[in-house]
Amino acid sequence: MSLKPHISAALNRIQPSATLAMTARVSALKAAGVDVIGLSAGEPDFDTPDFVKEAAIEAIRNGQTKYTLVDGTVALKEAIRGKFRRDNGLDFGLDQITVNVGGKHTLFNALVATVDKGDEVIIPAPYWVSYPDIVAFAGGTPVVIEGSAAQNYKITPVQLDAAITPKTRWVMLNSPSNPSGAAYSGEELDALGEVIRRHPHVMVMTDDMYEHVWYADFEFSTFAQRCPDLIDRILTVNGCSKAYAMTGWRIGYAGGPAWLIKAMGKLQSQSTSNPCSIAQAAAAAALGGPQQFLDDRNAAFKKRRDKVVAMLNDAPGLNCPTPDGAFYVYPDASGCMGKTTPDGLLIDTDEKLIDYFLDSAKVAAVHGAAFGLSPAFRVSYATSEAVLKEACVRIQQACAALR
């Protein structure tokens, strides 16, 4: 008798990542020889800086290839401590810093370590695809607040206050945002902080992964920096993936209350154990080394952003707000809904629109429903200007063909 497959209830509460699924589809099409342009991956096209690579090579030569402390080497924690001081004016002890296997792992550890069945986690939409699934895996309930295009994809203090209940455990903030690129100003964070002060049982998790990817008309602040009196209720999450083009190195980190950091380390001790020792050495070099190259990369991202926003706004049915940071745009596709493709397919969801773009224009993006706010889609402009121009022309033609 064959064994009957059994999948846990926790695993059945989540779905595969929509962004990774689209990236896999693009890879399969390219392998089959299809001329497809992939704008679905959230990954810089720049290379890891040479000084970071050299630090990794030196670590290998020096034999730094053994287990490390579960939640990060002292050297890397010191570099993270210095980064928080330099960039954010935050002073954490080493027992208030954790190092994990990428930013997603940091979020996972924090939520699984603190969320019980019935707990609520407030998530502004559009959100990064993994937030609600991690909450659901932990047994909690995602509470989604929609920040519409008219609100520049940000939530208001009134919305936040209305969503908080006695069951609220966390509020999650991602600024600049994946998928919209929207970012909260210091004053907007101050106003959200006023709401949090009225609810002493609520903690705030800030995902600052795109901290260093923003443009001249915006200045980054993190929530703990603007609301230092709430520091004991804030987990400030970051990583090396985006700013330093180290997505494959898998280093995320956070600063927060010592009790929470200890709990996250306990969970990590029974799951992944320590992050890669070589990647940790590279991350220490990235955080402690020269930072000037970030300005040059942001200048390139800004040129791409401006081109993509202009071209998508010229596509019939699309309204593309200009983001403050990250390397994404999130066009509102309301004007495409209810129309029909040349093959007679009714476009009544953003997922159908994205499938149409992929089938007819050979351009891959990610549908807005995956990010909790429809109808829209996410485009990553972390690729060359020439490729972006061709992709936007194809999207314009596909939109123009709808009737």
Side-chain angles (χ1 to χ4, degrees):
M1 182 182 294
S2 62
L3 179 67
K4 182 180 179 180
H6 174 76
I7 302 299
S8 71
L11 192 62
N12 279 329
R13 289 196 291 268
I14 67 175
Q15 299 295 322
S17 166
T19 53
L20 296 181
M22 181 57 79
T23 300
R25 287 178 68 181
V26 171
S27 296
L29 288 169
K30 287 184 175 180
V34 178
D35 175 26
V36 62
I37 299 176
L39 302 180
S40 57
E43 183 170 48
D45 58 322
F46 299 113
D47 197 7
T48 303
D50 286 341
F51 74 92
V52 177
K53 296 179 185 177
E54 291 301 320
I57 293 168
E58 190 64 22
I60 294 171
R61 289 182 176 142
N62 290 340
Q64 295 179 33
T65 57
K66 307 296 184 183
Y67 293 131
T68 75
L69 295 174
V70 165
D71 65 345
T73 64
V74 171
L76 178 51
K77 286 191 174 187
E78 287 287 7
I80 294 168
R81 192 178 184 187
K83 171 260 175 293
F84 276 129
R85 286 173 176 163
R86 177 189 70 225
D87 297 337
N88 312 116
L90 301 176
D91 192 7
F92 291 111
L94 294 184
D95 64 341
Q96 295 178 295
I97 293 172
T98 181
V99 183
N100 319 104
V101 188
K104 185 183 293 189
H105 189 211
T106 308
L107 299 168
F108 184 92
N109 281 355
L111 290 168
V112 172
T114 60
V115 171
D116 289 319
K117 184 177 180 180
D119 287 343
E120 296 175 350
V121 177
I122 293 175
I123 304 174
Y127 48 67
W128 185 45
V129 293
S130 294
Y131 293 161
D133 283 283
I134 296 174
V135 171
F137 181 87
T141 301
V143 176
V144 175
I145 308 175
E146 291 191 358
S148 66
Q151 297 174 197
N152 293 318
Y153 296 127
K154 293 182 280 189
I155 64 168
T156 67
V158 171
Q159 286 180 298
L160 176 60
D161 199 39
I164 293 175
T165 75
K167 296 180 179 180
T168 303
R169 177 74 62 192
W170 287 99
V171 173
M172 302 189 73
L173 294 176
N174 177 208
S175 172
S177 161
N178 176 3
S180 71
Y184 290 89
S185 69
E187 292 74 17
E188 288 170 330
L189 292 176
D190 293 343
L192 295 177
E194 284 299 316
V195 175
I196 298 299
R197 288 187 183 92
R198 296 199 292 269
H199 302 279
H201 65 292
V202 176
M203 296 190 67
V204 178
M205 192 180 308
T206 66
D207 180 350
D208 296 347
M209 190 61 70
Y210 297 88
E211 171 184 7
H212 292 299
V213 187
W214 51 271
Y215 309 112
D217 52 351
F218 175 82
E219 185 173 350
F220 176 84
S221 298
T222 192
F223 188 72
Q225 184 178 8
R226 299 295 304 198
C227 304
D229 59 304
L230 299 174
I231 191 72
D232 290 340
R233 291 198 273 147
I234 302 169
L235 183 70
T236 303
V237 179
N238 212 316
C240 296
S241 295
K242 311 302 182 178
Y244 302 100
M246 295 177 66
T247 51
W249 298 78
R250 308 310 302 136
I251 295 293
Y253 60 86
W259 67 265
L260 175 58
I261 299 301
K262 182 178 180 180
M264 293 168 66
K266 179 181 179 181
L267 177 61
Q268 188 158 309
S269 75
Q270 295 291 6
S271 55
T272 64
S273 193
N274 65 271
C276 169
S277 60
I278 309 306
Q280 289 190 68
L287 295 172
Q291 307 292 303
Q292 293 84 354
F293 70 93
L294 295 171
D295 292 336
D296 294 334
R297 294 186 176 190
N298 282 358
F301 279 137
K302 183 178 184 299
K303 287 179 64 177
R304 299 172 187 181
R305 177 201 70 170
D306 292 346
K307 178 177 287 293
V308 169
V309 167
M311 293 188 71
L312 291 181
N313 276 325
D314 283 340
L318 300 184
N319 171 33
C320 186
T322 301
D324 292 312
F327 38 75
Y328 310 103
V329 292
Y330 198 70
D332 182 295
S334 299
C336 294
M337 297 299 106
K339 294 186 177 181
T340 303
T341 71
D343 293 333
L345 174 67
L346 175 65
I347 301 296
D348 55 1
T349 67
D350 50 31
E351 187 166 12
K352 287 184 180 179
L353 181 65
I354 291 308
D355 286 341
Y356 166 61
F357 288 162
L358 186 58
D359 293 339
S360 68
K362 301 298 183 286
V363 176
V366 185
H367 61 288
F371 304 104
L373 188 67
S374 294
F377 59 95
R378 189 191 78 173
V379 165
S380 168
Y381 51 87
T383 190
S384 73
E385 287 187 57
V387 170
L388 290 170
K389 181 178 179 180
E390 173 62 22
C392 289
V393 167
R394 294 185 187 186
I395 291 174
Q396 288 174 341
Q397 292 171 343
C399 289
L402 294 173
R403 294 292 182 264

